[in-house]
Amino acid sequence: MSRLAVFGLTMGAALMLALAGCKPSAPPPQIFKTQTDALEKAKGVEQQLQQAQDRAKAAEEEQQK
């Protein structure tokens, strides 16, 4: 084997050992938490508006009778 091939294999093995020993110190931050919270809140508001519209429609129909 040539010196370049031996050097490449040695460096590759060293890199693999270095990466295998690394562990994340903390869980990754929840990047999209604020966006998902806002989306859930918007869905709740939409449901409330739909219920209010349904009540208003039912009251209008009751008045027409």
Side-chain angles (χ1 to χ4, degrees):
M1 255 193 229
S2 70
R3 287 184 181 178
L4 185 59
V6 172
F7 178 74
L9 287 173
T10 304
M11 290 304 291
L15 181 63
M16 292 296 284
L17 287 173
L19 290 177
C22 294
K23 292 183 181 177
S25 59
Q30 294 181 354
I31 298 170
F32 299 110
K33 181 164 179 25
T34 55
Q35 287 85 0
T36 55
D37 289 347
L39 181 61
E40 290 300 318
K41 186 176 180 180
K43 287 180 181 179
V45 170
E46 181 182 20
Q47 186 178 18
Q48 289 177 347
L49 290 173
Q50 183 65 42
Q51 290 171 352
Q53 185 180 14
D54 291 344
R55 285 191 301 268
K57 186 176 180 181
E60 182 182 331
E61 289 175 355
E62 187 65 33
Q63 269 187 343
Q64 289 178 357
K65 287 183 179 181

